[in-house]
Amino acid sequence: EPEVTQTPSHQVTQMGQEVILRCVPISNHLYFYWYRQILGQKVEFLVSFYNNEISEKSEIFDDQFSVERPDGSNFTLKIRSTKLEDSAMYFCASSEETKNTEAFFGQGTRLTVV
Amino acid sequence: DAKTTQPTSMDCAEGRAANLPCNHSTISGNEYVYWYRQIHSQGPQYIIHGLKNNETNEMASLIITEDRKSSTLILPHATLRDTAVYYCIAFGAHGSSNTGKLIFGQGTTLQVKP
């Protein structure tokens, strides 16, 4: 069964450092997403991406965040200058369409900012 | 997107049916009811979705009331591996369906017991 893969599974970084979280969505999917989940809290939407541009972003997704699809397979989330409160699980997801279809989620990257 | 209300937690005996309720009294005519689950901080996993009619797949059944104000997810023979947080999401209003954004609540923590 096709799956969304994320790397690394765990990333530890120092506050103020830049991190890039990587995702390989399912190959025929056109819509890509990032979500995050702070420990013990809800899964929160960060950004959706379609046709090489952001289609929607949340208030969390400020200027410190950016997304990119650098080639035909990867989808990345960059945090320019990490803060302690960026520590969370980050989930990538993809879907074929946005209506009447399911989103497939990766297993997540646990980001720890120290 | 319509707000959904779910019980915080439920228990179920292994081998028995698990019936997880969800209220979505403000759901609009073009919003689907989606169910996802999250097993121990893994990425959310799609289960099933429906609009008006009851739906069944290999994982579960979804029963939607005629007025569409509530629904029930049924896991017919719960196993220990079904222990997870189950999310009911009303999805499909123009804004979120255009971008595919999913709004997760707190969900129901289902504990399947031996």
Side-chain angles (χ1 to χ4, degrees), chain B residues 26 31 35 39 46 56 69 77 93:
Chain B
T26 61
E31 286 185 299
W35 284 84
I39 297 173
Y46 166 82
T56 296
K69 292 185 177 181
H77 305 287

Side-chain angles (χ1 to χ4, degrees), chain A residues 33 35 37 56 98 100-101 103, chain B residues 34 38 49 97 99 101-102:
Chain A
Y33 317 91
Y35 291 79
Q37 186 174 33
E56 185 173 357
T98 57
N100 195 22
T101 188
Chain B
Y34 276 74
Q38 187 176 27
H49 72 281
S97 69
T99 66
K101 175 178 76 174
L102 293 169

Side-chain angles (χ1 to χ4, degrees), chain A residues 14-95:
Chain A
Q14 291 210 328
M15 191 169 53
Q17 294 296 302
E18 173 183 288
V19 294
I20 297 176
L21 309 182
R22 303 181 190 281
C23 169
V24 179
I26 294 172
S27 61
N28 64 331
H29 286 186
L30 301 175
Y31 297 84
F32 314 113
Y33 317 91
W34 284 100
Y35 291 79
R36 80 171 187 189
Q37 186 174 33
I38 295 170
L39 187 63
Q41 298 187 21
K42 296 186 291 187
V43 177
E44 300 174 289
F45 168 81
L46 291 178
V47 66
S48 57
F49 190 86
Y50 170 71
N51 200 25
N52 281 321
E53 60 183 24
I54 290 173
S55 47
E56 185 173 357
K57 60 183 180 180
S58 71
E59 291 180 355
I60 303 167
F61 195 90
D62 61 21
D63 292 344
Q64 293 299 310
F65 291 86
S66 63
V67 289
E68 192 178 31
R69 188 154 163 82
D71 53 42
S73 59
N74 291 287
F75 180 51
T76 62
L77 174 69
K78 182 193 290 186
I79 309 175
R80 287 189 185 83
S81 178
T82 51
K83 304 187 281 283
L84 295 177
E85 53 265 39
D86 293 326
S87 294
M89 282 290 286
Y90 287 81
F91 296 109
C92 173
S94 69
S95 64

Side-chain angles (χ1 to χ4, degrees), chain B residues 10-19 75 77-78 110-114:
Chain B
M10 293 182 64
D11 289 343
C12 177
E14 188 178 18
R16 305 298 293 267
N19 296 281
L75 308 178
H77 305 287
L110 175 69
Q111 182 74 46
V112 180
K113 299 186 173 180

Side-chain angles (χ1 to χ4, degrees), chain B residues 86-99:
Chain B
Y86 287 78
Y87 301 100
C88 169
I89 301 171
F91 175 75
H94 294 295
S96 65
S97 69
N98 287 341
T99 66

Side-chain angles (χ1 to χ4, degrees), chain B residues 2-8 21-25 35 70-71 88 107-108:
Chain B
K3 179 178 167 59
T4 62
T5 306
Q6 301 177 251
T8 303
C22 178
N23 286 320
H24 32 78
S25 58
W35 284 84
S70 66
S71 60
C88 169
T108 296

